[in-house]
Amino acid sequence: MYRNSPQLQIIGKRTQRLPTKLKIAKWVGYFALFDILFLPYFQLIVVPFSLPVILFFMVWLRIEIKLDHFFLLFSIIVFFSLISIIYSFHLSSPQYFITLNIKRVAQLLLIFSYFFYFKWLASKIKLHLTPFIVLFIIYFSFLSLTFIQEPLVTTTFLKYIYGKVTATHEHALTHLRYSYFFSDPNTAGYFFLIAISPLLTEKRSVL
């Protein structure tokens, strides 16, 4: 009698609603994932467009980074990255190499903000990543098959969309190796496997 009450059903639905901040955090996460998989990077500093968005919302949402083994591993990476910068000054390297080293360290460490953001978000809500991953597989595969048939056209398209981070025409047409929006085909392969790994893990758990 009480289970079928409309009032109780409405109350149940209300209790299942996410807080506004979590809703925003969820859609920010989806945007970041779409950005990483499909959109081009900043051209001056090679980082995703969503990186400043992620950093802003980590502050706005007051995301606390747990002092667990992940943080310990990240601290080790930070430590040796800083040693790399200090060593550049110690060797009296040219200013160009010191600046480049600092930029690479900044890129490496800032990209971990995605890890800590999604780690926090996944502990709060269930994320539906399958549609993004399936769409990425279709897009990636379509471009790779097109590259086999029309390498010049595909390389020109990738260069136009993704800019200087992609392989040059000379490299792509000489080696005929598809590299997506990277300059190295091996990096594209690693990126593809990492991107689809949540789907593979999900299917494995079902089987």
Side-chain angles (χ1 to χ4, degrees), residues 8 20 26 48 72 115 119 121 167 180:
L8 289 178
T20 302
K26 179 183 71 171
L72 175 61
F115 171 77
K119 182 174 179 289
L121 188 59
Y180 192 36

Side-chain angles (χ1 to χ4, degrees), residues 22 25-30 33 117-132 202:
L22 272 182
K26 179 183 71 171
W27 288 107
V28 168
Y30 286 155
L33 181 61
Y117 182 86
F118 278 102
K119 182 174 179 289
W120 171 84
L121 188 59
S123 68
K124 301 293 183 181
I125 62 172
K126 180 176 176 58
L127 294 170
H128 301 285
L129 306 180
T130 301
F132 294 93
E202 180 184 350

Side-chain angles (χ1 to χ4, degrees), residues 24-39 48-54 57 114 117-118 121 132:
I24 296 173
K26 179 183 71 171
W27 288 107
V28 168
Y30 286 155
F31 164 70
L33 181 61
F34 184 84
D35 178 39
I36 292 172
L37 295 179
F38 299 100
L39 299 184
F49 282 104
S50 57
L51 178 59
V53 179
I54 289 292
F57 277 96
Y114 287 96
Y117 182 86
F118 278 102
L121 188 59
F132 294 93

Side-chain angles (χ1 to χ4, degrees), residues 39-49 103-104 107 158-166 181:
L39 299 184
Y41 293 157
F42 281 120
Q43 296 300 299
L44 295 178
I45 302 176
V46 183
V47 293
F49 282 104
K103 186 173 76 171
R104 294 289 182 254
Q107 289 172 321
L158 292 171
K159 200 73 178 174
Y160 178 78
I161 298 296
Y162 297 106
K164 65 181 182 180
V165 298
T166 59
F181 53 50

Side-chain angles (χ1 to χ4, degrees), residues 71-85 105 108-110 112 116:
F71 180 79
L72 175 61
L73 293 174
F74 175 68
S75 300
I76 294 173
I77 294 174
V78 172
F79 175 75
F80 284 104
S81 298
L82 294 177
I83 287 180
S84 173
I85 295 176
V105 167
L108 173 65
L109 299 183
L110 286 175
F112 276 94
F116 290 113

Side-chain angles (χ1 to χ4, degrees), residues 180-197:
Y180 192 36
F181 53 50
F182 299 98
S183 59
D184 179 28
N186 294 323
T187 305
Y190 301 144
F191 180 79
F192 179 80
L193 291 176
I194 293 171
I196 69 172
S197 60

